[in-house]
Amino acid sequence: MKKQSQMTPSGKNSLIERHTEIIIHICIWIYVFASPLVFRLGKDSIDWIRYLQQLYFPITSCVIFYLNYVWLVPKYALGKKHNRFIVINLAIVILMIIGRDYYEALLPPSETMLRRLSHSPKHLKKPSPFVITFMQVRNAVSLMFIALVALTIRLSLQWHKAESARRKAEFERQEAELQNIKNQINPHFLLNTLNNIYALTAFDAERAQKAIQELSQLLRYVLYENQSAFVDLRKEADFLKTYTALMRIRLTDIVDVQLNISLPKDTDVKVGPLIFISLVEDLCNGQHTSSNVAMTFMFNSASNDE
């Protein structure tokens, strides 16, 4: 149940990101298509034919952007087919440049053009070939830039998704490792401790009662506290002290187990539950023949940011 509640915010964030992306796309294209009208709001009337003529570039920009964003970039650029990606884009841009003349030929003359013809028809002349070529090259470069923008946005989204997937996989791997440690430690430790307490009852009942009380505190922590993703460092330190005290029961009197924990004052550090217990157990299990087992855990205030 807790995993579902933790995944819900992630799903909500993903939904919000998708809606935000759609809203941004709509706002940008509304601005692109409406900008010719906005610039003529202060004039008496809007030349709709002239507006339709000026609309060709926004339409072609929109077509090239979404052809790349939805189809060309995922299929060719991300599919390691870079040459095809470039050739197809060049072909589309050339078709768009050629198609402009046919598009304008389908429209009737604009009011602006008619006024110019009525006032000074002799002064109107076609642009020179150099000007026409320059304008076509300029438009082609602009359309290629639109394709480049679509490529950049798509690549950034792809990188973001890959990074999110990597972080999620890393988090799940760490969760699985931590859960595996918990599953290994809890039954093993419980059985050993019960056997040791059973042995204590034969010759030291008072110590056995104290051990039972410590075991109850430890089990309460294991059953309830460690179900959270993070716990207070002080609680984890108290757990280690109780755990070490119970570990001393099964060691001989000649083995001196010392646990020193140094914490900063008023610390609010959060750590993963039971992350230090394997260190304590390994040290104690590996030192049966030694007369001293010393463990020191030091945490400074700089750990608060971690």
Side-chain angles (χ1 to χ4, degrees):
M1 295 297 292
K2 290 192 175 183
K3 287 187 177 179
Q4 292 179 354
S5 62
Q6 290 176 355
M7 292 299 293
T8 300
S10 176
K12 289 182 179 179
N13 291 338
S14 178
L15 186 63
I16 291 173
E17 288 179 359
R18 286 197 296 269
H19 288 171
T20 303
E21 181 182 353
I22 293 173
I23 291 172
I24 290 174
H25 281 247
I26 292 173
C27 291
I28 290 175
W29 291 115
I30 286 176
Y31 170 78
V32 170
F33 282 93
S35 56
L37 296 176
V38 173
F39 294 135
R40 298 188 62 86
L41 288 178
K43 299 185 179 181
D44 296 335
S45 62
I46 298 175
D47 188 347
W48 290 104
I49 302 300
R50 180 63 176 166
Y51 169 71
L52 291 176
Q53 291 175 348
Q54 294 175 341
L55 207 59
Y56 184 80
F57 183 75
I59 291 174
T60 54
S61 299
C62 185
V63 170
I64 286 180
F65 179 86
Y66 286 107
L67 277 176
N68 280 274
Y69 188 81
V70 176
W71 176 48
L72 294 176
V73 174
K75 185 174 182 179
Y76 295 106
L78 298 179
K80 307 296 184 181
K81 300 175 182 178
H82 301 147
N83 292 335
R84 288 188 183 181
F85 174 76
I86 295 173
V87 170
I88 292 174
N89 268 292
L90 287 174
I92 293 173
V93 168
I94 292 172
L95 288 175
M96 294 296 183
I97 298 298
I98 296 173
R100 179 169 189 144
D101 294 334
Y102 293 96
Y103 173 80
E104 292 182 351
L106 295 174
L107 298 174
S110 64
E111 295 179 6
T112 304
M113 181 62 67
L114 293 175
R115 281 197 299 267
R116 290 179 180 177
L117 287 172
S118 62
H119 287 91
S120 55
K122 295 181 179 180
H123 296 287
L124 290 176
K125 61 179 181 179
K126 291 184 178 181
S128 65
F130 173 78
V131 174
I132 294 175
T133 303
F134 173 79
M135 294 178 64
Q136 289 177 342
V137 171
R138 182 198 63 183
N139 292 336
V141 171
S142 299
L143 293 176
M144 290 301 295
F145 178 75
I146 296 295
L148 181 61
V149 170
L151 172 64
T152 304
I153 294 175
R154 194 70 183 187
L155 288 177
S156 64
L157 291 176
Q158 188 74 12
W159 177 86
H160 178 72
K161 289 181 181 179
E163 185 66 14
S164 298
R166 186 193 65 79
R167 291 180 180 177
K168 182 180 178 182
E170 180 68 17
F171 176 78
E172 291 177 350
R173 184 186 65 81
Q174 292 176 353
E175 285 285 306
E177 290 179 353
L178 183 59
Q179 189 61 43
N180 185 48
I181 292 174
K182 293 178 183 178
N183 294 337
Q184 290 178 352
I185 291 174
N186 295 348
H188 172 73
F189 174 77
L190 179 62
L191 291 175
N192 281 345
T193 303
L194 289 175
N195 288 333
N196 294 333
I197 293 175
Y198 174 75
L200 274 178
T201 57
F203 59 89
D204 195 339
E206 183 177 353
R207 189 179 176 188
Q209 290 178 354
K210 183 179 179 182
I212 292 173
Q213 184 179 8
E214 291 173 344
L215 179 61
S216 66
Q217 295 174 356
L218 187 143
L219 290 177
R220 186 179 299 110
Y221 181 88
V222 170
L223 292 175
Y224 299 107
E225 297 291 343
N226 76 348
Q227 298 304 315
S228 303
F230 297 97
V231 297
D232 292 335
L233 181 57
R234 290 193 178 278
K235 289 185 178 181
E236 185 72 10
D238 293 337
F239 169 79
L240 287 178
K241 293 176 182 177
T242 304
Y243 181 86
T244 305
L246 291 173
M247 289 288 289
R248 291 193 185 100
I249 298 175
R250 66 184 181 87
L251 301 176
T252 61
D253 294 336
I254 62 172
V255 179
D256 183 19
V257 178
Q258 298 293 331
L259 176 65
N260 301 310
I261 299 178
S262 176
L263 295 175
K265 294 182 179 180
D266 301 326
T267 182
D268 58 351
V269 174
K270 302 287 186 180
V271 296
L274 306 179
I275 61 174
F276 304 111
I277 192 172
S278 59
L279 297 176
V280 177
E281 190 172 42
D282 289 343
L283 285 171
C284 292
N285 289 337
Q287 297 289 340
H288 285 175
T289 59
S290 176
S291 60
N292 291 291
V293 178
M295 292 170 285
T296 302
F297 293 87
M298 298 184 66
F299 305 90
N300 54 40
S301 57
S303 300
N304 291 338
D305 297 331
E306 299 179 353

